Amino acid sequence: MCAGTVSGTTGPAPLAGLSEALEALHSAVPAPVLRDLPERPWQAGQLAAQVRAWCAGWRSRGGQADRAVKEGARWLDGWRPGTAGARPAFGAGDGNLANFLWDGERVRVVDFEDSGRSDRAFELAELAEHVSAWVDGEVDVLAGVELDHAEAVRVRECRRLQALTWLFLLSGEGPRNPPGTFGRQAERVLRALDG
């Protein structure tokens, strides 16, 4: 991998470096200081409320997209983020893999404009479901990340929320992503809700 390229695109060294970078990022701010930091934007509760509103205003597009919105709305009706499995962490606030750069020795994190207090599971879920982690080939961004049972459950639930978020964000099928990305996202939502 070339210096300065996105970390998750190839090979075990960058992926191992990614898990190390995530651990360093999430623990970068000491707990007493972290408690006083503002929350990063779009935490789970706020994001869930936004996705509920998007579901309520959905205009039918047919097929799997409609089914994904319907199943997502049903799931959201019974889910509240709560605090189970939430381990306080400093979050970068943007799960785009382009913000994780491999310099040949380690992964470096850039772009902190939306950073702040968060929880580790939510941050990991955002990274795992970001379109950059799968649109050009699935990257297992959670490889090497250790989770206890409660945190693993929270990651799964937050991944569902993030997958639904991306369904709406990709619904315009803009030129930034390959054709068919929205349809693939509808399939991802349905798999996430089924798992």
Side-chain angles (χ1 to χ4, degrees):
M1 178 166 286
C2 299
T5 60
V6 177
S7 67
T9 55
T10 93
L15 283 176
L18 179 60
S19 65
E20 292 168 11
L22 290 170
E23 184 58 37
L25 171 68
H26 296 153
S27 61
V29 179
V33 177
L34 185 63
R35 279 191 293 271
D36 293 334
L37 277 184
E39 274 191 343
R40 58 151 280 189
W42 295 104
Q43 280 295 309
Q46 183 184 15
L47 190 57
Q50 178 62 65
V51 173
R52 281 187 190 93
W54 285 336
C55 286
W58 179 253
R59 292 185 179 176
S60 177
R61 295 178 70 163
Q64 288 191 321
D66 286 359
R67 185 170 156 236
V69 170
K70 180 181 174 184
E71 294 298 318
R74 184 185 353 253
W75 171 76
L76 274 171
D77 282 345
W79 181 73
R80 298 297 176 267
T83 58
R87 188 172 110 189
F90 178 71
D94 185 344
N96 190 336
L97 282 180
N99 296 328
F100 296 84
L101 305 178
W102 175 250
D103 68 4
E105 295 181 23
R106 62 186 283 199
V107 172
R108 305 207 183 250
V109 185
V110 299
D111 189 359
F112 291 94
E113 68 187 64
D114 290 326
S115 64
R117 183 169 34 91
S118 187
D119 76 85
R120 183 172 177 252
F122 183 78
E123 294 296 311
L124 293 171
E126 180 180 53
L127 182 64
E129 290 302 322
H130 195 282
V131 68
S132 65
W134 62 266
V135 74
D136 291 324
E138 194 79 30
V139 177
D140 185 3
V141 298
L142 300 181
V145 176
E146 293 185 27
L147 303 168
D148 64 27
H149 177 72
E151 203 171 26
V153 169
R154 185 172 180 85
V155 167
R156 184 189 71 225
E157 298 299 297
C158 289
R159 284 187 76 164
R160 289 174 172 172
L161 176 62
Q162 293 290 345
L164 279 164
T165 300
W166 277 103
L167 180 70
F168 291 100
L169 293 178
L170 294 170
S171 64
E173 282 283 6
R176 292 179 67 177
N177 297 302
T181 301
F182 174 67
R184 290 172 61 200
Q185 184 62 29
E187 293 170 6
R188 286 181 67 83
V189 168
L190 291 168
R191 281 195 309 271
L193 293 172
D194 193 40

